[in-house]
Amino acid sequence: MGMSPTTEHTPTTQPRTTDPAEATFGIGGAAESTDMVLNIGPQHPSTHGVLRLRLVLDGERIEAAEPVIGYMHRGAEKLFEARDYRQIVMLANRHDWLSAFSNELGVVLGVERMLGMEVPERAVWTRTLLAELNRVLNHLMFLGSYPLELGGITPVFYAFREREELQNVMEEISGGRMHYMFNRVGGLKEDLPAGWTTRARAAVASVRSRMDVYDDLVLGNEIFRGRTRGVGVLSAAAVHAYGVSGPIARASGVDFDLRRDEPYLAYGELGDVLKVVTRQDGDCLARFECLLEQTHNALDLADACLDRIADLPQGPINQRLPKVLKAPEGHTYAWTENPLGINGYYLVSKGEKTPYRLKLRSASYNNIQALTELLPGQLVADMVAILGSLFFVVGDIDK
């Protein structure tokens, strides 16, 4: 994980023997032993972000685990209150920096619901397409980085190659590689460039043609399977208790996906393509398999959206808005199935041009709490495998 361990030498339990002779030579009993407190992190300027784990160890076995968060807190929820409804899209864009388009989407859906606004059909299908391309970009990062955390360096190079193809088409329409700022209240910033759908379809086909890297090179690797099968089993009961969602929850047999169960955008018309991927084992391997199969399905959904967009007549892709946009007094909750799980915005308006309150329910915040359930009883050697399999972004925790 790249996080430096430090130790606290204060014993957390009483010595198991007090006789110096027995402690030194083992005469008449076991040698003196104390539990160790090990800090993993918080230095980690890399994919996941700055997280600290405080572990209590008995030898190589973890007895207790506490994720310590807050090292990169942005204060986004408070900043929402000082920005107007156009500006908050920028703040919402960044908490999960691997899911920028999906983050934007949730907040504009909430504002549109408050306004009672219907967006053009062209915008609905284009948003669905871009949300699924963003899902693939998110998942590819974890499909490549997770084997890297277990010692396999090759897949991450492939992952960045595939990401580059999709990022190119996303950059062409938005100008951004990670923070797209393409959603607007009422639709999208502008229509797709001429020929873009053809290039997007080629990028999707190219990425799909090389997904066997993860199917064969990673899942077919006996070392990878040995490090992940039966490790870090999360029960369905724990999923419900901690509010875990997304591919991590579905890997534990919790069959729930907002795209199917409470459809938004165009997902209600994609039921024949949308596949909710589940597993029953709930271990690290099951979580990786869910992520991989979900990536395959996202590519299929992107193709289906491209087919539908090709059949749509030309027309507007956004609504004209007043110069000063004010949401009527009231409140609403808009939630979406983000790549990492359920993302929700609770918007409260007093009729002003800025939100009175905008509470963010981020997927990673709940998912990472499950470490207190997953890590006790595991070996230190398996800690990185379990931690990496939760597929979190710390900005999504320290929002």
Side-chain angles (χ1 to χ4, degrees), residues 174-205:
S174 67
R177 289 176 59 79
M178 290 188 70
H179 302 300
Y180 306 110
M181 286 299 298
F182 198 58
N183 274 292
R184 296 290 187 273
V185 176
L188 295 168
K189 177 186 175 185
E190 56 197 9
D191 206 348
L192 302 172
W196 182 87
T197 54
T198 302
R199 292 186 288 276
R201 194 183 294 276
V204 169

PDB file of all heavy atoms in Angstrom, residues 174-205:
ATOM      1  N   SER A 174     -15.165  17.237 -22.987  1.00  0.00           N
ATOM      2  CA  SER A 174     -15.252  18.075 -21.790  1.00  0.00           C
ATOM      3  C   SER A 174     -14.044  18.969 -21.577  1.00  0.00           C
ATOM      4  O   SER A 174     -14.125  19.976 -20.872  1.00  0.00           O
ATOM      5  CB  SER A 174     -15.427  17.186 -20.552  1.00  0.00           C
ATOM      6  OG  SER A 174     -14.254  16.409 -20.327  1.00  0.00           O
ATOM      7  N   GLY A 175     -12.901  18.584 -22.144  1.00  0.00           N
ATOM      8  CA  GLY A 175     -11.674  19.328 -21.899  1.00  0.00           C
ATOM      9  C   GLY A 175     -10.935  18.881 -20.662  1.00  0.00           C
ATOM     10  O   GLY A 175      -9.829  19.348 -20.394  1.00  0.00           O
ATOM     11  N   GLY A 176     -11.525  17.965 -19.886  1.00  0.00           N
ATOM     12  CA  GLY A 176     -10.887  17.488 -18.652  1.00  0.00           C
ATOM     13  C   GLY A 176     -10.591  16.011 -18.725  1.00  0.00           C
ATOM     14  O   GLY A 176     -11.320  15.242 -19.368  1.00  0.00           O
ATOM     15  N   ARG A 177      -9.522  15.610 -18.068  1.00  0.00           N
ATOM     16  CA  ARG A 177      -9.154  14.195 -18.052  1.00  0.00           C
ATOM     17  C   ARG A 177      -9.693  13.467 -16.825  1.00  0.00           C
ATOM     18  O   ARG A 177      -9.943  12.269 -16.870  1.00  0.00           O
ATOM     19  CB  ARG A 177      -7.627  14.040 -18.112  1.00  0.00           C
ATOM     20  CG  ARG A 177      -7.042  14.414 -19.474  1.00  0.00           C
ATOM     21  CD  ARG A 177      -5.522  14.349 -19.457  1.00  0.00           C
ATOM     22  NE  ARG A 177      -5.030  13.039 -19.108  1.00  0.00           N
ATOM     23  CZ  ARG A 177      -4.965  12.003 -19.942  1.00  0.00           C
ATOM     24  NH1 ARG A 177      -5.392  12.138 -21.191  1.00  0.00           N
ATOM     25  NH2 ARG A 177      -4.493  10.849 -19.549  1.00  0.00           N
ATOM     26  N   MET A 178      -9.829  14.177 -15.727  1.00  0.00           N
ATOM     27  CA  MET A 178     -10.381  13.561 -14.510  1.00  0.00           C
ATOM     28  C   MET A 178     -11.600  14.328 -14.010  1.00  0.00           C
ATOM     29  O   MET A 178     -12.573  13.734 -13.572  1.00  0.00           O
ATOM     30  CB  MET A 178      -9.322  13.474 -13.413  1.00  0.00           C
ATOM     31  CG  MET A 178      -8.237  12.465 -13.690  1.00  0.00           C
ATOM     32  SD  MET A 178      -7.126  12.217 -12.304  1.00  0.00           S
ATOM     33  CE  MET A 178      -8.183  11.372 -11.126  1.00  0.00           C
ATOM     34  N   HIS A 179     -11.526  15.652 -14.028  1.00  0.00           N
ATOM     35  CA  HIS A 179     -12.620  16.483 -13.523  1.00  0.00           C
ATOM     36  C   HIS A 179     -13.312  17.110 -14.726  1.00  0.00           C
ATOM     37  O   HIS A 179     -12.895  18.142 -15.237  1.00  0.00           O
ATOM     38  CB  HIS A 179     -12.078  17.534 -12.561  1.00  0.00           C
ATOM     39  CG  HIS A 179     -11.339  16.931 -11.402  1.00  0.00           C
ATOM     40  ND1 HIS A 179     -11.940  16.072 -10.521  1.00  0.00           N
ATOM     41  CD2 HIS A 179     -10.054  17.042 -11.001  1.00  0.00           C
ATOM     42  CE1 HIS A 179     -11.057  15.683  -9.620  1.00  0.00           C
ATOM     43  NE2 HIS A 179      -9.904  16.256  -9.896  1.00  0.00           N
ATOM     44  N   TYR A 180     -14.407  16.478 -15.150  1.00  0.00           N
ATOM     45  CA  TYR A 180     -14.957  16.787 -16.465  1.00  0.00           C
ATOM     46  C   TYR A 180     -15.779  18.075 -16.475  1.00  0.00           C
ATOM     47  O   TYR A 180     -15.780  18.804 -17.462  1.00  0.00           O
ATOM     48  CB  TYR A 180     -15.814  15.608 -16.954  1.00  0.00           C
ATOM     49  CG  TYR A 180     -15.047  14.312 -16.939  1.00  0.00           C
ATOM     50  CD1 TYR A 180     -15.353  13.305 -16.033  1.00  0.00           C
ATOM     51  CD2 TYR A 180     -13.978  14.113 -17.805  1.00  0.00           C
ATOM     52  CE1 TYR A 180     -14.630  12.126 -15.998  1.00  0.00           C
ATOM     53  CE2 TYR A 180     -13.247  12.938 -17.786  1.00  0.00           C
ATOM     54  CZ  TYR A 180     -13.581  11.947 -16.871  1.00  0.00           C
ATOM     55  OH  TYR A 180     -12.852  10.796 -16.832  1.00  0.00           O
ATOM     56  N   MET A 181     -16.513  18.353 -15.409  1.00  0.00           N
ATOM     57  CA  MET A 181     -17.355  19.559 -15.362  1.00  0.00           C
ATOM     58  C   MET A 181     -18.242  19.648 -16.610  1.00  0.00           C
ATOM     59  O   MET A 181     -18.376  20.692 -17.227  1.00  0.00           O
ATOM     60  CB  MET A 181     -16.486  20.824 -15.221  1.00  0.00           C
ATOM     61  CG  MET A 181     -15.889  21.011 -13.849  1.00  0.00           C
ATOM     62  SD  MET A 181     -17.136  21.177 -12.579  1.00  0.00           S
ATOM     63  CE  MET A 181     -17.966  22.661 -13.105  1.00  0.00           C
ATOM     64  N   PHE A 182     -18.840  18.538 -16.980  1.00  0.00           N
ATOM     65  CA  PHE A 182     -19.642  18.489 -18.205  1.00  0.00           C
ATOM     66  C   PHE A 182     -21.140  18.519 -17.918  1.00  0.00           C
ATOM     67  O   PHE A 182     -21.937  18.860 -18.774  1.00  0.00           O
ATOM     68  CB  PHE A 182     -19.270  17.243 -19.013  1.00  0.00           C
ATOM     69  CG  PHE A 182     -19.685  17.296 -20.450  1.00  0.00           C
ATOM     70  CD1 PHE A 182     -19.249  18.317 -21.278  1.00  0.00           C
ATOM     71  CD2 PHE A 182     -20.519  16.330 -20.993  1.00  0.00           C
ATOM     72  CE1 PHE A 182     -19.624  18.377 -22.615  1.00  0.00           C
ATOM     73  CE2 PHE A 182     -20.907  16.375 -22.327  1.00  0.00           C
ATOM     74  CZ  PHE A 182     -20.461  17.404 -23.141  1.00  0.00           C
ATOM     75  N   ASN A 183     -21.527  18.128 -16.689  1.00  0.00           N
ATOM     76  CA  ASN A 183     -22.931  18.221 -16.306  1.00  0.00           C
ATOM     77  C   ASN A 183     -23.306  19.664 -16.007  1.00  0.00           C
ATOM     78  O   ASN A 183     -22.492  20.435 -15.500  1.00  0.00           O
ATOM     79  CB  ASN A 183     -23.200  17.372 -15.063  1.00  0.00           C
ATOM     80  CG  ASN A 183     -23.497  15.926 -15.396  1.00  0.00           C
ATOM     81  OD1 ASN A 183     -24.527  15.614 -15.972  1.00  0.00           O
ATOM     82  ND2 ASN A 183     -22.572  15.038 -15.034  1.00  0.00           N
ATOM     83  N   ARG A 184     -24.525  19.996 -16.321  1.00  0.00           N
ATOM     84  CA  ARG A 184     -25.106  21.285 -15.965  1.00  0.00           C
ATOM     85  C   ARG A 184     -26.519  21.043 -15.452  1.00  0.00           C
ATOM     86  O   ARG A 184     -27.171  20.072 -15.858  1.00  0.00           O
ATOM     87  CB  ARG A 184     -25.172  22.240 -17.173  1.00  0.00           C
ATOM     88  CG  ARG A 184     -23.824  22.644 -17.738  1.00  0.00           C
ATOM     89  CD  ARG A 184     -23.066  23.555 -16.793  1.00  0.00           C
ATOM     90  NE  ARG A 184     -21.842  24.066 -17.403  1.00  0.00           N
ATOM     91  CZ  ARG A 184     -20.675  23.449 -17.382  1.00  0.00           C
ATOM     92  NH1 ARG A 184     -20.568  22.270 -16.791  1.00  0.00           N
ATOM     93  NH2 ARG A 184     -19.611  24.003 -17.942  1.00  0.00           N
ATOM     94  N   VAL A 185     -26.989  21.920 -14.581  1.00  0.00           N
ATOM     95  CA  VAL A 185     -28.399  21.847 -14.203  1.00  0.00           C
ATOM     96  C   VAL A 185     -29.217  22.060 -15.471  1.00  0.00           C
ATOM     97  O   VAL A 185     -29.074  23.074 -16.153  1.00  0.00           O
ATOM     98  CB  VAL A 185     -28.738  22.920 -13.146  1.00  0.00           C
ATOM     99  CG1 VAL A 185     -30.243  22.894 -12.838  1.00  0.00           C
ATOM    100  CG2 VAL A 185     -27.934  22.699 -11.873  1.00  0.00           C
ATOM    101  N   GLY A 186     -30.016  21.075 -15.814  1.00  0.00           N
ATOM    102  CA  GLY A 186     -30.806  21.170 -17.049  1.00  0.00           C
ATOM    103  C   GLY A 186     -30.260  20.359 -18.197  1.00  0.00           C
ATOM    104  O   GLY A 186     -30.872  20.325 -19.270  1.00  0.00           O
ATOM    105  N   GLY A 187     -29.134  19.690 -18.019  1.00  0.00           N
ATOM    106  CA  GLY A 187     -28.596  18.871 -19.113  1.00  0.00           C
ATOM    107  C   GLY A 187     -27.089  18.790 -19.067  1.00  0.00           C
ATOM    108  O   GLY A 187     -26.489  18.560 -18.024  1.00  0.00           O
ATOM    109  N   LEU A 188     -26.464  19.009 -20.219  1.00  0.00           N
ATOM    110  CA  LEU A 188     -25.015  18.934 -20.340  1.00  0.00           C
ATOM    111  C   LEU A 188     -24.476  20.247 -20.895  1.00  0.00           C
ATOM    112  O   LEU A 188     -25.217  21.067 -21.440  1.00  0.00           O
ATOM    113  CB  LEU A 188     -24.612  17.773 -21.250  1.00  0.00           C
ATOM    114  CG  LEU A 188     -24.961  16.382 -20.709  1.00  0.00           C
ATOM    115  CD1 LEU A 188     -24.801  15.326 -21.800  1.00  0.00           C
ATOM    116  CD2 LEU A 188     -24.089  16.024 -19.506  1.00  0.00           C
ATOM    117  N   LYS A 189     -23.180  20.431 -20.776  1.00  0.00           N
ATOM    118  CA  LYS A 189     -22.558  21.699 -21.178  1.00  0.00           C
ATOM    119  C   LYS A 189     -22.820  22.029 -22.639  1.00  0.00           C
ATOM    120  O   LYS A 189     -23.175  23.149 -22.996  1.00  0.00           O
ATOM    121  CB  LYS A 189     -21.054  21.620 -20.901  1.00  0.00           C
ATOM    122  CG  LYS A 189     -20.256  22.838 -21.341  1.00  0.00           C
ATOM    123  CD  LYS A 189     -18.763  22.587 -21.141  1.00  0.00           C
ATOM    124  CE  LYS A 189     -17.942  23.733 -21.696  1.00  0.00           C
ATOM    125  NZ  LYS A 189     -16.487  23.451 -21.615  1.00  0.00           N
ATOM    126  N   GLU A 190     -22.653  21.024 -23.507  1.00  0.00           N
ATOM    127  CA  GLU A 190     -22.844  21.239 -24.938  1.00  0.00           C
ATOM    128  C   GLU A 190     -23.037  19.897 -25.617  1.00  0.00           C
ATOM    129  O   GLU A 190     -22.822  18.838 -24.996  1.00  0.00           O
ATOM    130  CB  GLU A 190     -21.639  21.974 -25.544  1.00  0.00           C
ATOM    131  CG  GLU A 190     -20.316  21.276 -25.301  1.00  0.00           C
ATOM    132  CD  GLU A 190     -19.115  22.188 -25.518  1.00  0.00           C
ATOM    133  OE1 GLU A 190     -19.334  23.399 -25.689  1.00  0.00           O
ATOM    134  OE2 GLU A 190     -17.979  21.686 -25.508  1.00  0.00           O
ATOM    135  N   ASP A 191     -23.413  19.927 -26.864  1.00  0.00           N
ATOM    136  CA  ASP A 191     -23.664  18.689 -27.601  1.00  0.00           C
ATOM    137  C   ASP A 191     -22.339  18.007 -27.938  1.00  0.00           C
ATOM    138  O   ASP A 191     -21.258  18.611 -27.887  1.00  0.00           O
ATOM    139  CB  ASP A 191     -24.455  18.977 -28.871  1.00  0.00           C
ATOM    140  CG  ASP A 191     -25.267  17.761 -29.319  1.00  0.00           C
ATOM    141  OD1 ASP A 191     -25.030  16.660 -28.790  1.00  0.00           O
ATOM    142  OD2 ASP A 191     -26.134  17.928 -30.201  1.00  0.00           O
ATOM    143  N   LEU A 192     -22.444  16.743 -28.302  1.00  0.00           N
ATOM    144  CA  LEU A 192     -21.264  15.956 -28.641  1.00  0.00           C
ATOM    145  C   LEU A 192     -20.676  16.431 -29.971  1.00  0.00           C
ATOM    146  O   LEU A 192     -21.420  16.755 -30.906  1.00  0.00           O
ATOM    147  CB  LEU A 192     -21.635  14.484 -28.732  1.00  0.00           C
ATOM    148  CG  LEU A 192     -22.254  13.873 -27.463  1.00  0.00           C
ATOM    149  CD1 LEU A 192     -22.762  12.475 -27.748  1.00  0.00           C
ATOM    150  CD2 LEU A 192     -21.253  13.875 -26.319  1.00  0.00           C
ATOM    151  N   PRO A 193     -19.354  16.442 -30.101  1.00  0.00           N
ATOM    152  CA  PRO A 193     -18.737  16.862 -31.373  1.00  0.00           C
ATOM    153  C   PRO A 193     -19.084  15.897 -32.507  1.00  0.00           C
ATOM    154  O   PRO A 193     -19.384  14.716 -32.271  1.00  0.00           O
ATOM    155  CB  PRO A 193     -17.232  16.820 -31.063  1.00  0.00           C
ATOM    156  CG  PRO A 193     -17.120  16.784 -29.578  1.00  0.00           C
ATOM    157  CD  PRO A 193     -18.359  16.134 -29.074  1.00  0.00           C
ATOM    158  N   ALA A 194     -19.026  16.391 -33.726  1.00  0.00           N
ATOM    159  CA  ALA A 194     -19.283  15.551 -34.899  1.00  0.00           C
ATOM    160  C   ALA A 194     -18.290  14.397 -34.943  1.00  0.00           C
ATOM    161  O   ALA A 194     -17.085  14.593 -34.782  1.00  0.00           O
ATOM    162  CB  ALA A 194     -19.168  16.393 -36.175  1.00  0.00           C
ATOM    163  N   GLY A 195     -18.800  13.194 -35.115  1.00  0.00           N
ATOM    164  CA  GLY A 195     -17.952  12.013 -35.205  1.00  0.00           C
ATOM    165  C   GLY A 195     -17.519  11.441 -33.873  1.00  0.00           C
ATOM    166  O   GLY A 195     -16.848  10.401 -33.835  1.00  0.00           O
ATOM    167  N   TRP A 196     -17.920  12.083 -32.781  1.00  0.00           N
ATOM    168  CA  TRP A 196     -17.454  11.619 -31.463  1.00  0.00           C
ATOM    169  C   TRP A 196     -17.982  10.239 -31.130  1.00  0.00           C
ATOM    170  O   TRP A 196     -17.267   9.407 -30.570  1.00  0.00           O
ATOM    171  CB  TRP A 196     -17.873  12.612 -30.378  1.00  0.00           C
ATOM    172  CG  TRP A 196     -17.388  12.213 -29.006  1.00  0.00           C
ATOM    173  CD1 TRP A 196     -16.177  12.512 -28.445  1.00  0.00           C
ATOM    174  CD2 TRP A 196     -18.096  11.425 -28.038  1.00  0.00           C
ATOM    175  NE1 TRP A 196     -16.087  11.963 -27.181  1.00  0.00           N
ATOM    176  CE2 TRP A 196     -17.261  11.296 -26.912  1.00  0.00           C
ATOM    177  CE3 TRP A 196     -19.354  10.833 -28.011  1.00  0.00           C
ATOM    178  CZ2 TRP A 196     -17.629  10.592 -25.776  1.00  0.00           C
ATOM    179  CZ3 TRP A 196     -19.733  10.112 -26.881  1.00  0.00           C
ATOM    180  CH2 TRP A 196     -18.885  10.002 -25.775  1.00  0.00           C
ATOM    181  N   THR A 197     -19.247   9.974 -31.465  1.00  0.00           N
ATOM    182  CA  THR A 197     -19.819   8.671 -31.112  1.00  0.00           C
ATOM    183  C   THR A 197     -19.088   7.528 -31.815  1.00  0.00           C
ATOM    184  O   THR A 197     -18.929   6.441 -31.251  1.00  0.00           O
ATOM    185  CB  THR A 197     -21.316   8.626 -31.454  1.00  0.00           C
ATOM    186  OG1 THR A 197     -21.496   8.975 -32.834  1.00  0.00           O
ATOM    187  CG2 THR A 197     -22.104   9.584 -30.580  1.00  0.00           C
ATOM    188  N   THR A 198     -18.613   7.778 -33.018  1.00  0.00           N
ATOM    189  CA  THR A 198     -17.837   6.758 -33.732  1.00  0.00           C
ATOM    190  C   THR A 198     -16.527   6.484 -33.018  1.00  0.00           C
ATOM    191  O   THR A 198     -16.115   5.325 -32.847  1.00  0.00           O
ATOM    192  CB  THR A 198     -17.562   7.208 -35.175  1.00  0.00           C
ATOM    193  OG1 THR A 198     -18.805   7.443 -35.835  1.00  0.00           O
ATOM    194  CG2 THR A 198     -16.754   6.159 -35.925  1.00  0.00           C
ATOM    195  N   ARG A 199     -15.865   7.549 -32.561  1.00  0.00           N
ATOM    196  CA  ARG A 199     -14.603   7.379 -31.835  1.00  0.00           C
ATOM    197  C   ARG A 199     -14.836   6.725 -30.481  1.00  0.00           C
ATOM    198  O   ARG A 199     -14.016   5.919 -30.025  1.00  0.00           O
ATOM    199  CB  ARG A 199     -13.914   8.739 -31.698  1.00  0.00           C
ATOM    200  CG  ARG A 199     -13.427   9.301 -33.029  1.00  0.00           C
ATOM    201  CD  ARG A 199     -12.623  10.575 -32.876  1.00  0.00           C
ATOM    202  NE  ARG A 199     -13.449  11.729 -32.518  1.00  0.00           N
ATOM    203  CZ  ARG A 199     -14.113  12.473 -33.379  1.00  0.00           C
ATOM    204  NH1 ARG A 199     -14.097  12.174 -34.678  1.00  0.00           N
ATOM    205  NH2 ARG A 199     -14.817  13.533 -32.984  1.00  0.00           N
ATOM    206  N   ALA A 200     -15.930   7.067 -29.834  1.00  0.00           N
ATOM    207  CA  ALA A 200     -16.243   6.455 -28.542  1.00  0.00           C
ATOM    208  C   ALA A 200     -16.524   4.965 -28.706  1.00  0.00           C
ATOM    209  O   ALA A 200     -16.064   4.137 -27.902  1.00  0.00           O
ATOM    210  CB  ALA A 200     -17.443   7.151 -27.911  1.00  0.00           C
ATOM    211  N   ARG A 201     -17.263   4.617 -29.773  1.00  0.00           N
ATOM    212  CA  ARG A 201     -17.564   3.207 -30.009  1.00  0.00           C
ATOM    213  C   ARG A 201     -16.277   2.413 -30.283  1.00  0.00           C
ATOM    214  O   ARG A 201     -16.123   1.278 -29.819  1.00  0.00           O
ATOM    215  CB  ARG A 201     -18.529   3.072 -31.189  1.00  0.00           C
ATOM    216  CG  ARG A 201     -19.153   1.713 -31.318  1.00  0.00           C
ATOM    217  CD  ARG A 201     -20.031   1.636 -32.557  1.00  0.00           C
ATOM    218  NE  ARG A 201     -21.179   2.494 -32.483  1.00  0.00           N
ATOM    219  CZ  ARG A 201     -22.330   2.167 -31.886  1.00  0.00           C
ATOM    220  NH1 ARG A 201     -22.437   1.000 -31.289  1.00  0.00           N
ATOM    221  NH2 ARG A 201     -23.356   3.001 -31.895  1.00  0.00           N
ATOM    222  N   ALA A 202     -15.348   3.020 -31.007  1.00  0.00           N
ATOM    223  CA  ALA A 202     -14.068   2.352 -31.285  1.00  0.00           C
ATOM    224  C   ALA A 202     -13.269   2.165 -30.002  1.00  0.00           C
ATOM    225  O   ALA A 202     -12.625   1.115 -29.800  1.00  0.00           O
ATOM    226  CB  ALA A 202     -13.270   3.169 -32.298  1.00  0.00           C
ATOM    227  N   ALA A 203     -13.292   3.158 -29.105  1.00  0.00           N
ATOM    228  CA  ALA A 203     -12.564   3.053 -27.841  1.00  0.00           C
ATOM    229  C   ALA A 203     -13.159   1.946 -26.970  1.00  0.00           C
ATOM    230  O   ALA A 203     -12.424   1.164 -26.353  1.00  0.00           O
ATOM    231  CB  ALA A 203     -12.594   4.391 -27.099  1.00  0.00           C
ATOM    232  N   VAL A 204     -14.489   1.864 -26.911  1.00  0.00           N
ATOM    233  CA  VAL A 204     -15.151   0.812 -26.133  1.00  0.00           C
ATOM    234  C   VAL A 204     -14.789  -0.565 -26.679  1.00  0.00           C
ATOM    235  O   VAL A 204     -14.464  -1.493 -25.927  1.00  0.00           O
ATOM    236  CB  VAL A 204     -16.681   1.022 -26.132  1.00  0.00           C
ATOM    237  CG1 VAL A 204     -17.405  -0.200 -25.569  1.00  0.00           C
ATOM    238  CG2 VAL A 204     -17.050   2.272 -25.329  1.00  0.00           C
ATOM    239  N   ALA A 205     -14.816  -0.707 -27.996  1.00  0.00           N
ATOM    240  CA  ALA A 205     -14.480  -2.000 -28.612  1.00  0.00           C
ATOM    241  C   ALA A 205     -13.026  -2.367 -28.340  1.00  0.00           C
ATOM    242  O   ALA A 205     -12.702  -3.542 -28.080  1.00  0.00           O
ATOM    243  CB  ALA A 205     -14.744  -1.936 -30.118  1.00  0.00           C
TER     244      ALA A 205
END
